[in-house]
Amino acid sequence: MRLLTIESSCDETSAAVVQDGEKVLSNVIASQEAVHALYGGVVPEIASRKHLEVVLPVIEEALSRASVTLEGIEGVAVTQGPGLAGALLVGISVAKALAYARNLPLVGIHHIEGHLFAVFLEKQVAFPFVALVVSGGHTHLYQVDGFGIYKTLGQTRDDAAGEAFDKVAKILGLPYPGGALIDKLASRGDPNSIRLPRPLLHDGSHNFSFSGLKTAVLQFVRKNPASAEGVALHDLCASFQAAVCEVLVEKTRAALRDTGIERLVVAGGVACNSGLRQGMNDLARQTGTELFIPSPLLCTDNAAMLAVSADFYLRSGLRSGLQLDAKTVWSLDSLAERVQG
Ligand code: KG4
Ligand code: ZN
C-alpha cells in the first residue's frame, strides 16, 4: 500500500510517500524554526499561518520526489494529535480534502505513535519492546506490546527533556530551539566540571522531573555569570547534558529490568543527542539489550514516521472518516480501542 502522510502538529510541515509502511519514497520537511527563533519559542498563530502557506507545495514536492502522482496514492494518513490545534487542523483539512476528492482511505495517527515506530523505516523491531520517547513535549517510557497496545511505565511530572534543553539554552542566551546547539557546545566541555542535580534518580519510580534541574542551572549562572561565556559555557553545557542523560539512561535501565524486556527503542528529537545515544549504547552493551535509535532525520518531526502504524491500521480495515478532528490532548493508552475486537 502506497501512502501519502502529512504532519503539521508543531513547527514542521512535512509530507511523505511511503510504500508498505517501510520503504520511504520521499520525506519532505519544511521547518519554521527560523521564524519562531525570533520569538524564543513556537508562536501557535504564526505556526498555523506558515503551515497554510507551505502545506500544498510540500505535498507536491513529496509526490514529485517519489515520482508518483495522486493517482498512485492508495491511502492518506495525518497527525491527528496531540499538538497545536490550529497547526494540526491545517494538515487534517488537506488530508481530508485529498481523501474525499480521490476516494482514498484516511487514518488519523497519534504523533507519539509516529515517533515510536520511526525506526521501523530502517529496521524491524520485534514486540514487545521498551520505548523512551524524548521530544519537546514528551518524556515517556512505554512498554509496546504491538500496534495500538501501549502501557505507560513513566513520564515527566513537569518539563519534557527537550523543553529542558530549550529552556536552559534560553537561560544561556542561545537561540531557539537550543537542544542541538547545547549538544554541540557540550562536545568540547567537561561533563564533570559542575555538579548539577539528577532529579528523581533514586525515587524508585519510572517518572522524570526536569524543572528543578533547569532552575539549578539558572541559579548557577546567576551566581557565576562568567560560566555562560567562552570556554566555561562548554563545561556548563556538558554538565547539564550529562545530568539529563544520566537520569534518562538510569530510568530506562530500571524499566528494562522491571519489565524483563531486552529490546529498547529511543525516539523523538532528543534522541539526536550525542550524549544520550552514547549513554544508551553503553546501557545496551552492559545489559545485553538490543538497541534501536532512528537516524537523526527520523528522530525529529517528520511525516514518514506516521506511515508505519498507518499502514497497519489501514490494512486492518480501520478508517477515520471525514469527521476526523484534531485532538490537542490525546492519551496514547486510549489507542487500544483501535485494535480491540
Ligand atoms: O520530536 P521533535 O522534533 O518535536 C516534538 O515533537 O517536540 O523534538 C524537538 C526537540 C526540541 O526540544 C529540540 O531542542 C530537541 O528535540 N533536540 C535536541 C537535539 N536535537 C533536537 N535536544 C538535545 N540534543 C540534540 N542534539
Ligand atoms: Zn515530535
Side-chain angles (χ1 to χ4, degrees):
M1 197 176 211
R2 189 182 289 152
L3 300 184
L4 173 68
T5 58
I6 303 167
E7 149 71 35
S8 67
S9 65
C10 190
D11 59 346
E12 260 97 28
T13 321
S14 179
V17 179
V18 182
Q19 183 75 42
D20 300 327
E22 57 182 26
K23 188 163 190 281
V24 181
L25 303 180
S26 65
N27 191 16
V28 177
I29 304 160
S31 173
Q32 307 175 1
E33 245 172 55
V35 184
H36 299 291
L38 300 173
Y39 305 92
V42 176
V43 184
E45 177 66 12
I46 296 177
S48 315
R49 283 168 192 263
K50 283 283 155 198
H51 285 306
L52 257 182
E53 276 170 36
V54 303
V55 70
L56 293 179
V58 164
I59 290 172
E60 280 166 6
E61 179 73 19
L63 292 169
S64 148
R65 285 197 205 168
S67 303
V68 291
T69 59
L70 276 179
E71 282 76 47
I73 296 298
E74 296 161 286
V76 180
V78 64
T79 305
Q80 188 175 356
L84 303 170
L88 287 164
L89 279 172
V90 175
I92 290 173
S93 306
V94 176
K96 280 193 203 175
L98 286 172
Y100 180 69
R102 302 225 46 94
N103 197 23
L104 293 170
L106 170 70
V107 65
I109 297 294
H110 192 294
H111 182 74
I112 296 305
E113 190 174 37
H115 279 301
L116 280 178
F117 292 108
V119 75
F120 281 56
L121 297 169
E122 298 178 320
K123 220 170 189 182
Q124 293 302 302
V125 186
F127 297 112
F129 57 84
V130 167
L132 173 72
V133 181
V134 270
S135 69
H138 282 75
T139 303
H140 278 63
L141 271 165
Y142 297 105
Q143 175 173 330
V144 179
D145 291 323
F147 287 107
I149 314 172
Y150 316 116
K151 187 171 153 206
T152 303
L153 301 172
Q155 58 187 290
T156 183
R157 291 191 185 156
D158 39 58
D159 293 352
E163 196 180 350
F165 268 97
D166 296 340
K167 285 180 174 170
V168 163
K170 203 169 185 175
I171 292 169
L172 302 177
L174 303 172
Y176 172 87
L181 193 51
I182 288 188
D183 190 2
K184 206 169 153 203
L185 291 164
S187 68
R188 286 187 281 145
D190 175 2
N192 300 312
S193 52
I194 301 152
R195 191 65 204 165
L196 292 168
R198 267 70 173 154
L200 305 191
L201 188 58
H202 300 296
D203 74 334
S205 82
H206 297 306
N207 293 324
F208 305 88
S209 164
F210 291 110
S211 115
L213 176 57
K214 168 199 67 192
T215 308
V217 173
L218 178 64
Q219 283 167 347
F220 184 84
V221 172
R222 280 196 182 142
K223 273 192 211 142
N224 310 276
S227 66
E229 285 161 26
V231 185
L233 178 60
H234 296 161
D235 286 344
L236 185 51
C237 288
S239 301
F240 166 71
Q241 182 168 300
V244 175
C245 292
E246 186 180 333
V247 175
L248 293 174
V249 168
E250 292 313 315
K251 291 279 176 174
T252 304
R253 188 192 302 275
L256 290 166
R257 186 192 59 221
D258 294 349
T259 57
I261 294 172
E262 293 175 339
R263 271 178 300 275
L264 171 65
V265 167
V266 184
V270 183
C272 291
N273 186 268
S274 55
L276 186 62
R277 291 174 94 94
Q278 183 59 53
M280 288 299 178
N281 267 301
D282 294 344
L283 170 68
R285 214 183 38 251
Q286 290 155 6
T287 57
T289 301
E290 254 189 296
L291 173 65
F292 303 88
I293 312 183
S295 306
L297 200 67
L298 290 174
C299 286
T300 46
D301 288 350
N302 69 91
M305 67 184 190
L306 307 177
V308 183
S309 53
D311 188 86
F312 171 83
Y313 289 132
L314 289 173
R315 277 190 296 105
S316 312
L318 185 93
R319 303 285 183 270
S320 288
L322 294 176
Q323 72 280 8
L324 185 160
D325 204 0
K327 291 187 188 232
T328 52
V329 182
W330 191 8
S331 152
L332 199 59
D333 301 16
S334 70
L335 290 177
E337 292 162 15
R338 290 188 158 186
V339 288
Q340 276 162 358

